[in-house]
Amino acid sequence: MQKRKLGKSNLEVSALGLSCMGMSQSYGLPPDKQAMISLIRTAVERGVTFFDTAEIYGPYVNEELVGEALAPLRAQVVIATKFGIKTENGQQVQDSRPERIKQSVEGSLKRLRTDVLDLYYQHRVDPNVPIEDVRTIRRAHAVQPVTAVQSEYSLWWRRPEEELLPTLEELGIGFVPFSPLGKGFLTGTIDEKTTFVSSDFRNIVPRFTPEARKANQTIVDVLRNIAERKQATPAQIALAWLLARKPWIAPIPGTTKLARLEENIGAAAIRLTADDLREIESAASHITIQGARYPEQLEKRTGL
């Protein structure tokens, strides 16, 4: 797989990474641990070198999974993890106090079975920590060069284009889109009749109500039309579109299935022409995506 450098940093990663969160939470009962270890190692064999986790995923067990899977391959890969959210009385709480960050670093290093964190994100801004301690992108970058910012970005969530992407380009910072397939919707395998197990968090997402899913099929139809011409899948076109946006963007689709992993990796070989991109842009400009991407309380916590 082709490699990309995140912004002006020297951190080189595979064009497509692998989000490991769903292997431990959010999308129903977590799969068998050994199967996920095998999947992660297969991803490395297929050329993926960029793996994403966080201490809050599980919590903790996702880092342990990634650490165990990648320990024999550590020199070949880049591991990204995150601090800034802890569990308190069963609730997630933002906490980026310096003493808490130190605890998080020590815990993540141990769980990931490594002595270095290649990429370390603040997961969520802590409103209780003064801005002098946790700076905005511009101010942080002036003190210590920021390698990358991770945020949601896809054809059905394009807010980063308004201010974030221009700022990152100006400052030479890489961008890592999570949910590049719209939590699975842009794969074309979900419609208004699809049901999710009770523990799947999409059950509480407004954008995943049956009505919203039915209305939002129009964006999938755009992807499907181009996919048919390219002998590809809607998911591959959605990822190829992201890769074509900027050379310093490295999406991290997640999956628990080998077939989906191979499908996603295949997107890196697809080249969208200028006409393809104009067609997508023209069609998307006439589509209004229905439903909020998160319930109100979760959206507030993103700080966006």
Side-chain angles (χ1 to χ4, degrees):
M1 188 188 294
Q2 292 182 346
K3 300 286 185 66
R4 294 188 164 201
K5 286 188 177 179
L6 292 176
K8 293 179 181 177
S9 75
N10 288 319
L11 188 63
E12 190 175 63
V13 299
S14 51
L16 288 166
L18 179 62
S19 170
C20 299
M21 180 192 75
M23 299 178 184
S24 300
Q25 66 168 59
S26 298
Y27 294 97
L29 187 67
D32 174 71
K33 180 180 177 181
Q34 291 304 315
M36 293 303 94
I37 288 173
S38 176
L39 184 68
I40 290 171
R41 290 176 180 171
T42 298
V44 179
E45 292 173 4
R46 301 289 199 275
V48 177
T49 65
F50 188 25
F51 295 85
D52 187 85
T53 183
E55 67 172 346
I56 195 60
Y57 297 162
Y60 309 129
V61 295
N62 195 246
E63 283 188 327
E64 292 170 351
L65 167 68
V66 171
E68 182 174 347
L70 294 177
L73 308 164
R74 184 65 183 94
Q76 303 175 42
V77 300
V78 170
I79 299 177
T81 192
K82 311 173 191 74
F83 70 91
I85 304 178
K86 66 180 181 181
T87 301
E88 199 170 81
N89 299 322
Q91 299 295 316
Q92 290 188 3
V93 179
Q94 284 132 286
D95 188 350
S96 288
R97 292 171 299 152
E99 60 269 30
R100 174 60 188 165
I101 296 173
K102 182 180 179 181
Q103 293 173 0
S104 295
V105 169
E106 292 172 348
S108 290
L109 288 170
K110 182 178 180 180
R111 288 185 291 272
L112 289 167
R113 305 187 185 191
T114 186
D115 57 359
V116 61
L117 301 176
D118 302 307
L119 188 56
Y120 201 42
Y121 299 108
Q122 183 186 24
H123 207 151
R124 292 282 185 262
V125 173
D126 182 352
N128 297 315
V129 175
I131 197 67
E132 288 77 16
D133 292 338
V134 180
R135 293 167 172 82
T136 60
I137 293 173
R138 249 177 228 286
R139 293 173 67 183
H141 192 67
V143 176
Q144 171 66 44
V146 174
T147 299
V149 169
Q150 183 180 137
S151 192
E152 183 170 358
Y153 184 37
S154 71
L155 268 169
W156 83 337
W157 180 256
R158 300 182 66 173
R159 186 181 293 177
E161 296 173 355
E162 297 170 10
E163 295 182 358
L164 179 58
L165 291 184
T167 300
L168 299 182
E169 186 160 38
E170 175 192 341
L171 298 176
I173 298 171
F175 185 51
V176 179
F178 75 82
S179 291
L181 295 175
K183 301 174 179 63
F185 189 78
L186 299 180
T187 63
T189 61
I190 295 173
D191 60 23
E192 71 272 19
K193 297 177 182 177
T194 302
T195 58
F196 304 111
V197 297
S198 60
S199 54
D200 190 311
F201 88 108
R202 287 173 291 190
N203 287 307
I204 65 169
V205 175
R207 196 164 286 192
F208 277 89
T209 64
E211 297 78 15
R213 280 182 267 154
K214 183 176 182 179
N216 292 333
Q217 286 297 323
T218 51
I219 193 68
V220 178
D221 292 339
V222 173
L223 297 171
R224 186 174 281 114
N225 288 338
I226 295 176
E228 289 174 355
R229 295 205 304 267
K230 299 281 185 181
Q231 294 185 317
T233 66
Q236 290 175 328
I237 300 302
L239 292 172
W241 177 83
L242 274 175
L243 290 171
R245 302 299 284 172
K246 299 291 180 181
W248 37 268
I249 290 179
I252 49 168
T255 187
T256 59
K257 297 179 176 64
L258 177 59
R260 291 294 178 204
L261 173 68
E262 293 178 334
E263 178 183 353
N264 293 344
I265 289 172
I270 293 174
R271 297 291 172 264
L272 297 178
T273 66
D275 287 342
D276 294 330
L277 294 170
R278 278 193 292 269
E279 180 180 342
I280 293 172
E281 199 62 43
S282 175
S285 69
H286 294 94
I287 295 171
T288 300
I289 301 298
Q290 302 298 312
R293 66 168 183 156
Y294 287 131
E296 186 177 357
Q297 285 303 111
L298 287 180
E299 184 64 49
K300 285 180 179 178
R301 280 176 40 196
T302 69
L304 298 177

